[in-house]
């Protein structure tokens, strides 16, 4: 992550204390004190518990808060940001993460506030979905820095995102604005898990890319990336395996990424046309494929972003990587809690 000082996110630039940041995902629960220059201290993490009830998962969050409270800088914290896998309902402070089955409409914000108070920190707290948190992070310290209007996306097992409009984070009433994965780009497309049809996520997620390639007869190779689950050929049957095959010139794998890139390009162009964003930042595991993904996006974007005010939109990779969750949780809280400055 960047080590040089950066200005704090706009809404709370006057606040000098750190933000308690908590990042909740399907594999890990992490925490840190994030300072106004973007540096992090007291970082800690726990594996997300499996085969436990809702309180069992919350116990790991409580352990993270307890460990953060041992920092000598704990007393100077001024706010708390929670970034979580979704769906989220920020208006109610609840989450129902697809990859944390024990949590359904779980009141995570209320429970975290109680844990903070138990450790002597009565802090204003914000809940943000992971796509919104990533957006806040990339606008503060990453690839969208300096852009007043930006779309940021996470392309992974699903497809999520968030919006910066007029230099402000725009999460919407429930925290789900910018959820580009469920824009329909194929009105005769296959049903999506959300209940709609032809959604970006049903075409461009890592899961969808791998599924389509396999359905078209692609066979994972033993000489692929070797990082995923075994497929019919004993190799990597995930999107990473498809990406490796595409790099090697496999025509089905290339077609799978071209199809995903076209869906993403259509959605990016639609979003840019609607709200005049001038940059699209893409992160997540599928974005690690590099030009295998970005080249078809940019190619197809020329056919969709044709109006004068959208034709110059940039499409770039995210830069914060694994730091985006914690930095984003802090940035979201800083941007959405302007009254918390002290």
């Amino acid at each position: 992550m960047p080590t040089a000082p950066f200005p704090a996110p706009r809404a709370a630039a006057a606040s000098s204390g750190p933000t308690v940041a908590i990042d909740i995902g399907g594999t890990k629960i992490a925490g840190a004190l994030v300072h106004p220059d973007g540096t992090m201290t007291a970082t800690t993490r726990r594996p997300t518990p499996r085969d436990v009830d809702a309180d069992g998962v919350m116990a790991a969050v409580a352990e993270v808060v307890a460990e953060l409270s041992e920092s000598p800088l704990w007393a100077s914290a001024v706010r708390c940001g929670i970034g979580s896998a979704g769906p989220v309902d920020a208006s109610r402070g609840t989450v129902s993460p697809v990859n944390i089955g024990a949590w359904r409409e779980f009141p995570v914000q209320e429970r975290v506030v109680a844990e903070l108070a138990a450790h002597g920190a009565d802090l204003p707290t914000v809940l943000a979905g992971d796509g919104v948190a990533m957006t806040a992070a990339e606008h503060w310290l990453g690839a969208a820095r300096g852009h007043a209007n930006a779309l940021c996306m996470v392309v992974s097992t699903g497809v999520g995102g968030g919006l910066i409009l007029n230099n402000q984070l725009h999460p919407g009433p429930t925290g789900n604005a910018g959820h580009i994965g469920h824009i329909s780009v194929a009105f005769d497309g296959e049903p999506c898990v959300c209940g709609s049809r032809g959604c970006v996520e049903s075409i461009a997620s890592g899961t969808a890319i791998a599924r389509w390639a396999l359905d078209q007869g692609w066979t994972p190779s033993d000489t692929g990336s070797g990082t995923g689950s075994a497929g019919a050929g004993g190799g990597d049957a995930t999107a990473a395996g498809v990406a490796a095959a595409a790099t090697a010139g496999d025509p089905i794998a290339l077609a799978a990424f071209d199809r995903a890139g076209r869906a993403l390009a259509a959605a990016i162009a639609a979003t840019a046309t609607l709200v005049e964003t001038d940059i699209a930042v893409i992160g997540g595991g599928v974005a690690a494929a590099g030009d295998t993904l970005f080249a078809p996006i940019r190619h197809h974007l020329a056919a969709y972003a044709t109006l004068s005010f959208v034709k110059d939109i940039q499409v770039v990779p995210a830069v914060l990587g694994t730091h985006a969750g914690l930095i984003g949780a802090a940035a979201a809280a800083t941007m959405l809690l302007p009254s918390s400055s002290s």
Side-chain angles (χ1 to χ4, degrees):
M1 62 175 286
T3 55
F6 285 88
R10 290 169 61 95
S15 197
S16 59
T19 298
V20 177
I22 299 171
D23 177 26
I24 300 170
T27 59
K28 71 164 188 329
I29 296 168
L33 298 181
V34 180
H35 299 270
D37 65 354
T39 57
M40 297 191 297
T41 57
T43 54
T44 182
R45 60 185 289 168
R46 300 285 188 281
T48 303
R50 300 292 182 187
D51 301 318
V52 297
D53 62 10
D55 286 335
V57 179
M58 185 62 209
V61 179
E63 289 176 7
V64 166
V65 173
E67 187 165 337
L68 292 177
S69 73
E70 296 173 2
S71 167
L73 298 174
W74 176 255
S76 62
V78 294
R79 68 185 75 82
C80 175
I82 308 163
S84 176
V88 306
D89 186 341
S91 67
R92 299 171 57 221
T94 61
V95 297
S96 302
V98 171
N99 49 10
I100 305 178
W103 278 5
R104 289 296 172 266
E105 298 187 6
F106 184 76
V108 67
Q109 182 169 330
E110 176 185 328
R111 295 290 295 272
V112 167
V113 167
E115 291 296 329
L116 294 169
H119 293 280
D122 182 14
L123 301 178
T125 300
V126 156
L127 169 65
D130 51 7
V132 171
M134 175 265 194
T135 299
E138 290 291 335
H139 184 253
W140 180 19
L141 298 178
R145 187 167 179 254
H147 291 266
N149 301 286
L151 165 68
C152 297
M153 305 170 62
V154 180
V155 184
S156 186
T157 305
V159 178
L163 291 167
I164 296 289
L165 300 178
N166 194 26
N167 276 315
Q168 301 295 317
L169 188 63
H170 182 73
T174 67
N176 291 288
H179 201 339
I180 194 170
H182 295 289
I183 289 178
S184 178
V185 292
F187 66 85
D188 282 335
E190 64 184 78
C192 179
V193 293
C194 75
S196 185
R197 183 177 291 275
C199 292
V200 175
E201 184 171 299
S202 70
I203 300 171
S205 70
T207 306
I209 290 169
R211 182 179 63 245
W212 187 87
L214 290 166
D215 287 347
Q216 300 305 306
W218 173 70
T219 301
S221 169
D222 289 324
T223 59
S225 67
T227 59
S229 59
D236 184 353
T238 68
V242 181
T247 300
D250 184 284
I252 296 177
L254 285 165
F257 271 90
D258 185 75
R259 180 174 179 265
R262 184 178 181 185
L264 290 166
I268 289 167
T271 303
T273 303
L274 186 67
V275 295
E276 290 198 63
T277 54
D278 58 13
I279 190 170
V281 177
I282 305 178
V286 177
D291 280 348
T292 300
L293 177 68
F294 284 90
I297 292 174
R298 292 169 179 145
H299 169 73
H300 288 294
L301 194 59
Y304 288 106
T306 58
L307 292 170
S308 61
F309 60 94
V310 295
K311 66 183 179 64
D312 294 326
I313 186 170
Q314 301 176 53
V315 178
V316 300
V319 299
L320 293 177
T322 57
H323 297 297
L326 287 169
I327 292 175
T334 304
M335 296 176 82
L336 297 173
L337 289 169
S339 63
S340 67
S341 59
S342 59

